[in-house]
Amino acid sequence: MADRLGAAVIGLGMMGERHAAIWSQLGTTRLVSVYDIVGERTQSIAGELGCEAAASLEAAINRPDVDIVSICTDDQKHVEPCLVAAAAGKHILLEKPLATDLEDCDAIIGACESAGVKLMVGHVVRFDPRYAVAKQAIDDGAVGDIIQVYGRRNNIIDSGRRIGPRTSVAFFLGVHDLDLMRWFVGSEAAKVHAESASKVLANIAAEDSIMALLRYQNGAVGCLETCWVMPKGIPCTLDARLEVIGTKGMVRVTVGDEGCTIIGPNRATRPDILYGPQLHGEQAGALRTQLEHFADCVLHDRAPVISPQDARAAVAIAAAIHESLRSGQPVYL
Ligand SMILES: NC(=O)c1ccc[n+]([C@@H]2O[C@H](COP(=O)([O-])OP(=O)(O)OC[C@H]3O[C@@H](n4cnc5c(N)ncnc54)[C@H](O)[C@@H]3O)[C@@H](O)[C@H]2O)c1
């Protein structure tokens, strides 16, 4: 291995562009190659960041100087790049969700296990200090035995219009909290019952909002609220909460006002401060911390803090939510 790990990025949309910039900025990594099915996108990011504009998935990955592959394609397009990267013996940092069904999850996990490569799914909220500190408080006994957990993740309508035709709000947004709720409660989901509404995005057959009730194996109950049609008048793009109540205490995380409001003549906005802000010309925040963590795990042969089974469990609950929406019945996991 060279002095710096080499990274390739597959899929250069909103997230892939950020991954590529971060790999080019970290002290332990360098960006080697990028690839998107849209050739112009590949050329423009490669030109901007100074790496190979690969002509194919294989060309981006099958280079001896690539150690890590970031996969940032759409939710349903995670399998093929993962199989190519695993077969080439590259470590994989895959954007959430692991996949949108359990068959695909198992194909990805199986390929990584057979190849002996690390796989981490980017459940980036685990790298948000607010959630990580709350989880530590739970582990330290501040809450006691958990009774209930509530997770909310709501986005403005731009998100539903942009992503709605390709995936569901449960897989795109809700999967973050399904992972967090399971992590906080420390128990597997046993039963799920979900309801949805579709009014604004009915023309593209997507749910506007999904609400789910959960029961965990340890007896705790949970409630997930996830929606991507909030009006643009709200000053923040993301409104998220996580609250846990236990026998001894409670913890509450609130996301939406990070302490910086930009006020114009007609509208106030609250920019992202914690996930992917620019800080003195570089990408900062939880996404950078997540990529740094994965590079360290590869460099020092450590297990990433999010296991493939954690990511699979979140997909299993999201899939059960969709099964409940389809059947109108509770689903037992
Ligand atoms: N961690 C987070 O907070 C977060 C936030 C947003 C999105 N995501 C996840 O990141 C992934 C990408 O989302 P996005 O918002 O960047 O989407 P996007 O639509 O902006 O980008 C996806 C890109 O992948 C490219 N692509 C599609 N199929 C490809 C293929 N087979 N090979 C190469 N390129 C291909 C598309 O051309 C597009 O440029 C999704 O899985 C999404 O759920 C995570």
Side-chain angles (χ1 to χ4, degrees):
M1 219 177 263
D3 56 333
R4 286 177 185 231
L5 296 168
V9 179
I10 308 300
L12 300 168
M14 190 186 92
M15 294 310 288
E17 180 172 14
R18 291 178 174 185
H19 279 238
I22 294 169
W23 292 131
S24 75
Q25 291 163 358
L26 292 180
T28 51
T29 60
R30 69 191 186 91
L31 181 67
V32 171
S33 55
V34 291
Y35 171 68
D36 193 288
I37 39 169
V38 179
E40 282 168 13
R41 192 75 190 140
T42 310
Q43 294 292 342
S44 107
I45 303 278
E48 197 182 307
L49 298 173
C51 68
E52 183 198 347
S56 70
L57 184 60
E58 290 76 11
I61 291 172
N62 292 334
R63 288 179 50 139
D65 53 354
V66 167
D67 304 292
I68 291 175
V69 181
S70 271
I71 295 171
C72 305
T73 47
D74 308 42
D75 290 2
Q76 299 89 341
K77 295 187 178 169
H78 287 178
V79 183
E80 189 201 358
C82 285
L83 298 190
V84 171
K90 313 299 184 186
H91 302 288
I92 298 172
L93 178 56
L94 170 63
E95 265 304 338
K96 46 55 57 177
L98 172 54
T100 51
D101 65 51
L102 292 178
E103 203 179 304
D104 285 352
C105 289
D106 292 338
I108 295 171
I109 293 173
C112 291
E113 282 175 357
S114 305
V117 297
K118 294 187 194 301
L119 166 67
M120 186 173 98
V121 177
H123 283 283
V124 68
V125 191
R126 289 205 190 198
F127 293 90
D128 177 334
R130 295 168 292 195
Y131 288 88
V133 168
K135 163 67 175 162
Q136 189 60 53
I138 291 170
D139 288 351
D140 291 345
V143 167
D145 192 10
I146 292 176
I147 297 164
Q148 71 165 49
V149 59
Y150 164 74
R152 173 201 288 179
R153 191 155 303 263
N154 294 342
N155 264 190
I156 56 167
I157 177 69
D158 296 21
S159 170
R161 290 220 172 95
R162 185 175 81 89
I163 302 287
R166 293 181 269 163
T167 184
S168 85
V169 68
F171 279 110
F172 188 72
L173 291 181
V175 79
H176 282 296
D177 298 275
L178 294 173
D179 170 59
L180 294 166
M181 290 158 73
R182 171 182 172 272
W183 188 43
F184 277 42
V185 171
S187 178
E188 299 298 337
K191 181 181 173 190
V192 175
H193 188 181
E195 296 286 348
S196 69
S198 175
K199 296 184 179 186
V200 177
L201 299 177
N203 59 333
I204 54 164
E207 295 93 359
D208 298 334
S209 165
I210 295 179
M211 304 257 188
L213 284 179
L214 294 97
R215 174 170 287 283
Y216 293 88
Q217 284 175 3
N218 68 359
V221 290
C223 176
L224 172 78
E225 171 192 338
T226 190
C227 165
W228 52 9
V229 297
M230 285 196 306
K232 287 166 80 160
I234 192 165
C236 53
T237 55
L238 170 68
D239 177 14
R241 301 266 185 285
L242 206 136
E243 188 174 278
V244 178
I245 300 178
T247 50
K248 278 172 58 185
M250 61 189 282
V251 294
R252 178 182 295 159
V253 177
T254 31
V255 178
D257 179 357
E258 325 315 352
C260 173
T261 306
I262 298 166
I263 301 161
N266 301 312
R267 197 178 165 228
T269 54
R270 294 197 182 122
D272 168 38
I273 301 294
L274 275 146
Y275 292 102
Q278 287 282 319
L279 191 66
H280 311 304
E282 294 213 345
Q283 281 280 324
L287 188 66
R288 184 184 178 111
T289 310
Q290 174 184 274
L291 269 62
E292 230 163 8
H293 169 75
F294 190 66
D296 282 348
C297 289
V298 171
L299 271 174
H300 305 295
D301 193 19
R302 287 200 289 258
V305 292
I306 303 160
S307 74
Q309 293 306 326
D310 289 333
R312 186 187 188 280
V315 172
I317 307 169
I321 285 174
H322 277 285
E323 174 56 22
S324 174
L325 291 178
R326 195 196 57 74
S327 66
Q329 301 296 318
V331 173
Y332 294 84
L333 288 105

